[in-house]
Amino acid sequence: MPDFRRYLVNIDSISTHQLFTDCLVIGAGIAGLRAAIEAAKHCNVIIVCKGSLEDSNTWKAQGGIASVLNKTDTFESHITDTLNTGCGLCDQGIVDLVVRQGPELMEQLLSWGTEFDQIDGHIATTLEGGHTHPRVAHAHGDETGRIIAEALIKKARQNPNIKMVENFYTIDLLTNDDNECIGIIGHDKHSPPGTDQIIWAANTILATGGAGQLYRETTNPEVATGDGIAMAYRAGAVLQDLEFLQFHPTTLYVAGASRALITETLRGEGAVLLDNKGRRFMKEYHESAELAPRDIVSRAILAQMLKNKSTHVYLDVRHFDKEYFAKRFPHIFELCESFDIDVSRDLIPVRPSAHYMIGGVKTDASAKTSIENLYACGEVASTGLHGANRLGSNSLLEGLVFGKTAGQSVYQHKKASVAHIKHPLIKYQIPHSDRSLLDTADIRNSLRALMWRNMGITRKARPLAETQEIIRFWQRYVMDKVFDGPAGWECQNMLTVCLLMAQSAQMRQESRGVHFRSDFPDTDDEHFKKRIEISKEL
Ligand code: SIN
């Protein structure tokens, strides 16, 4: 089968440019940066990221980071909210561990220069759906991710043990016969096509982020193509929960605009949803109305759109004081202005889009994957924190906690130094394909449309089977090629991850959290209160 190829490119390690490091971090969102800062206490670290440091889901995060920060709040309450939202599939030990580390790591972020918004000398907090206490901290209003990322980048830059390389595309993880990860092969975007580099690493931390670009409509940046999941799969890592992709209920719906996120904290502070007839409808779907868990709000919006044959619904913020709004939500204010939407007068057109990959590379409480010397943290990892549905703003917290954990695991590892790597000569040759040249952009667009149609908010057996059939057909002539640049490799990775997601969704014959099967609308604890794991037969 062509999709079972071990590496995407030909490799001849003798003639390939080589670097060596104790610890390699792939990805520069909150998890990757925090991991690098931790590992660099005792190791030398290289961070590579595929775009610029600004190209991450972290950078785009608006609402905030959830943590117990008020006297009226408790760890028990944050734990209960996370478990309730996760619909029976959270790993309780992991939830406990993440929630309890929150306040200390938030203090540390503050001491590293993160300018969280404050009230009376304390970090200000707000509400999001599923939270029973206001515990979502924010920075510069709705620019939380950027402000956190900037503080972490500054901290990392001050550390002589950390080298950051932008515009470096990681093609594949290198492994040896002992199931150990020994580094990566990648491509510096400034090098000529076909000139790849090997980075041998005693430890590799996968922090490649999400996969929203697998869908036609997404809040994610262009880099979020699921590369980390695909390369871990090719290397033989165990993946889990790939059917759980969270849709964000409210992204801007304006023809021609990318689907920009409209933060849930707006609803936390009183914004309401109206249908195209101007009616508030959320109360008909859930007692918490606009602050119901995200899966419920997304499905309610979809149902209302279908009922009224409309393409979108609206967020109503007209009752906010305009000056307050501009200060509290400066990014959204500007975004709306740029489309001539006056938030004090006009409704904001919104609809759901793909937002957060809950599933990913299976990790344990030490951020270890099933491959030796390979760790994963952040959105690419599946720790079990989120279960079948993620509580809003728990993901930045998870990235922070498991970034630190991954960094610690690296320097506590007895083979932390690059001196321990036994790197074999790697020679890998892919048979030449005579099939015709491809328009990968066309395949990518068709794939994203297919996922939106058949693997979206509502799923059922026939379209899921059709999705796999179509992807397998495309794979026949895409996966046998050797590409010499990111567009082709991304297309191959996207096909791989989409197929695995559709297979997982097919297997889960029930509805739970973000996974809704119209042919199996009930939750079936007897057969499915468990994770769906997938790995490649090696
Ligand atoms: C938002 O601001 O609504 C997104 C926060 C999140 O996805 O955690």
Side-chain angles (χ1 to χ4, degrees):
M1 291 288 291
D3 60 322
F4 283 172
R5 187 198 286 174
R6 171 61 189 90
Y7 296 115
L8 289 185
V9 290
N10 292 318
I11 305 177
D12 183 353
S13 59
I14 293 186
S15 58
T16 307
H17 178 74
Q18 308 184 10
L19 290 172
F20 295 81
T21 185
D22 298 333
C23 177
L24 175 73
V25 179
I26 313 170
I30 189 169
L33 289 165
R34 186 61 189 82
I37 291 166
E38 194 65 25
K41 287 182 179 167
H42 300 284
C43 305
N44 63 62
V45 180
I46 297 178
I47 308 180
V48 293
C49 63
K50 118 183 195 189
S52 78
L53 290 168
E54 298 174 15
D55 295 323
S56 69
N57 269 336
T58 296
W59 196 275
K60 292 185 90 168
Q62 293 178 4
I65 177 163
S67 184
V68 174
L69 299 167
N70 301 321
K71 286 205 182 73
T72 53
D73 196 4
T74 61
F75 288 138
E76 289 68 27
S77 163
H78 190 179
I79 290 167
T80 304
D81 292 347
T82 303
L83 295 175
N84 286 344
T85 303
C87 304
L89 273 197
C90 297
D91 179 325
Q92 201 153 347
I94 296 288
V95 176
D96 203 79
L97 184 149
V98 171
V99 165
R100 288 179 195 278
Q101 287 192 52
E104 192 188 322
L105 292 185
M106 291 290 287
E107 273 304 318
Q108 191 177 52
L109 273 186
L110 206 56
S111 73
W112 291 350
T114 309
E115 293 167 345
F116 285 114
D117 297 331
Q118 310 232 348
I119 290 183
D120 302 331
H122 297 286
I123 296 178
T125 52
T126 191
L127 263 182
E128 274 186 16
H131 289 277
T132 51
H133 278 81
R135 62 171 73 94
V136 178
H138 42 89
H140 289 210
D142 54 6
E143 299 195 272
T144 313
R146 176 175 71 82
I147 300 301
I148 293 176
E150 282 177 346
L152 291 174
I153 290 166
K154 189 165 162 215
K155 181 87 185 156
R157 282 211 168 107
Q158 287 163 350
N159 191 322
N161 284 350
I162 300 178
K163 178 178 157 71
M164 290 198 249
V165 185
E166 293 175 85
N167 296 306
F168 185 95
Y169 187 94
T170 302
I171 305 166
D172 261 308
L173 300 165
L174 301 175
T175 47
N176 63 17
D177 291 341
D178 298 327
N179 189 37
E180 292 174 330
C181 181
I182 48 177
I184 59 160
I185 181 153
H187 175 76
D188 185 324
K189 286 190 197 161
H190 302 301
S191 306
T195 47
D196 300 331
Q197 287 184 31
I198 286 177
I199 305 180
W200 300 109
N203 296 277
T204 301
I205 300 177
L206 202 54
T208 47
Q213 287 290 329
L214 304 181
Y215 286 81
R216 195 188 71 204
E217 316 235 336
T218 180
T219 59
N220 290 194
E222 291 210 345
V223 290
T225 50
D227 301 320
I229 296 176
M231 70 180 88
Y233 176 72
R234 284 193 293 278
V238 177
L239 312 176
Q240 69 183 6
D241 292 346
L242 292 181
E243 66 279 28
F244 296 129
L245 182 288
Q246 185 174 60
F247 291 81
H248 195 287
T250 55
T251 49
L252 185 66
Y253 185 71
V254 177
S258 63
R259 296 287 169 263
L261 179 69
I262 305 287
T263 178
E264 182 162 337
T265 50
L266 259 182
R267 281 176 279 132
E269 297 196 15
V272 294
L273 284 162
L274 303 180
D275 67 12
N276 63 333
K277 298 183 173 145
R279 280 185 53 249
R280 195 169 167 201
F281 57 90
M282 269 314 301
K283 285 212 168 107
E284 292 158 31
Y285 293 90
H286 195 275
E287 59 189 10
S288 302
E290 279 80 4
L291 288 182
R294 277 183 193 175
D295 59 317
I296 292 167
V297 182
S298 290
R299 280 200 298 280
I301 291 175
L302 201 68
Q304 204 66 14
M305 281 163 47
L306 277 175
K307 197 158 116 188
N308 293 348
K309 297 192 176 45
S310 60
T311 54
H312 57 276
V313 296
Y314 294 99
L315 258 183
D316 186 359
V317 296
R318 292 173 299 182
H319 49 291
F320 282 64
D321 175 75
K322 191 169 176 179
E323 238 170 76
Y324 169 80
F325 191 100
K327 205 158 160 244
R328 173 68 182 87
F329 302 103
H331 179 76
I332 294 172
F333 184 77
E334 256 179 51
L335 179 74
C336 288
E337 293 253 290
S338 73
F339 289 103
D340 271 345
I341 299 169
D342 178 341
V343 292
S344 66
R345 214 183 48 213
D346 304 321
L347 299 173
I348 306 173
V350 291
R351 72 177 194 173
S353 66
H355 182 57
Y356 187 87
M357 187 62 184
I358 290 175
V361 182
K362 180 180 176 178
T363 53
D364 66 12
S366 311
K368 290 184 180 145
T369 70
S370 60
I371 297 179
E372 283 295 308
N373 312 337
L374 178 68
Y375 309 83
C377 51
E379 195 171 343
V380 70
S382 173
T383 62
L385 172 71
H386 309 303
N389 192 12
R390 180 179 64 100
L391 187 65
S393 292
N394 262 0
S395 45
L396 286 181
L397 178 64
E398 185 192 36
L400 202 56
V401 170
F402 276 100
K404 178 179 177 200
T405 305
Q408 278 175 336
S409 292
V410 162
Y411 67 68
Q412 286 164 0
H413 188 202
K414 57 184 186 309
K415 293 182 186 168
S417 154
V418 70
H420 288 106
I421 310 178
K422 278 189 265 150
H423 42 84
L425 293 179
I426 301 182
K427 200 162 173 66
Y428 183 79
Q429 192 69 32
I430 299 159
H432 177 72
S433 163
D434 283 330
R435 292 177 195 258
S436 58
L437 286 174
L438 293 176
D439 178 352
T440 51
D442 188 43
I443 295 166
R444 188 179 171 128
N445 288 340
S446 307
L447 178 66
R448 297 176 71 206
L450 177 71
M451 290 294 281
W452 184 249
R453 226 173 31 244
N454 289 357
M455 263 291 290
I457 295 173
T458 301
R459 295 127 185 220
K460 69 175 173 194
R462 256 187 90 114
L464 288 175
E466 180 198 65
T467 304
Q468 292 167 63
E469 221 173 278
I470 296 173
I471 294 176
R472 282 189 192 286
F473 176 71
W474 289 335
Q475 280 190 328
R476 275 191 242 151
Y477 53 88
V478 178
M479 300 307 287
D480 67 345
K481 301 278 183 303
V482 181
F483 293 101
D484 59 9
W489 300 321
E490 276 180 358
C491 184
Q492 292 177 314
N493 285 338
M494 289 167 78
L495 286 168
T496 300
V497 180
C498 289
L499 183 63
L500 297 174
M501 287 173 72
Q503 287 171 341
S504 306
Q506 182 88 306
M507 282 189 252
R508 186 171 286 286
Q509 296 184 339
E510 63 156 358
S511 292
R512 187 186 292 271
V514 297
H515 174 70
F516 185 79
R517 291 275 305 247
S518 56
D519 47 354
F520 296 99
D522 299 323
T523 300
D524 176 358
D525 276 348
E526 192 188 333
H527 299 103
F528 290 105
K529 198 168 178 196
K530 61 179 185 193
R531 320 212 102 83
I532 292 181
E533 292 187 0
I534 288 198
S535 61
K536 191 174 105 171
E537 299 288 326
L538 289 177

